[in-house]
Coordinates of all heavy atoms in Angstrom, one line a residue:
L47 N 28.5 63.1 86.0 CA 29.7 63.0 85.1 C 31.0 62.9 85.9 O 31.1 63.6 87.0 CB 29.7 64.3 84.3 CG 30.4 64.2 83.0 CD1 29.7 63.3 81.9 CD2 30.4 65.6 82.3
M281 N 72.0 50.9 79.3 CA 71.9 51.2 77.8 C 73.3 51.6 77.3 O 73.7 51.2 76.2 CB 70.9 52.4 77.7 CG 70.8 53.0 76.3 SD 69.7 54.5 76.4 CE 70.9 55.8 77.1
E341 N 81.5 59.7 76.8 CA 81.6 60.1 75.4 C 80.4 59.5 74.7 O 79.8 60.3 73.8 CB 82.9 59.4 74.8 CG 84.1 60.1 75.0 CD 85.4 59.4 74.4 OE1 85.1 58.9 73.3 OE2 86.3 59.3 75.1
Y417 N 33.9 51.3 84.8 CA 33.8 49.7 84.7 C 33.6 49.3 83.4 O 32.6 49.7 82.6 CB 32.8 49.3 85.6 CG 32.6 47.7 85.6 CD1 33.6 47.0 86.2 CD2 31.5 47.2 85.1 CE1 33.5 45.5 86.1 CE2 31.4 45.8 85.0 CZ 32.4 45.0 85.5 OH 32.2 43.6 85.4

Side-chain angles (χ1 to χ4, degrees):
L47 205 63
M281 174 186 76
E341 279 180 41
Y417 177 71

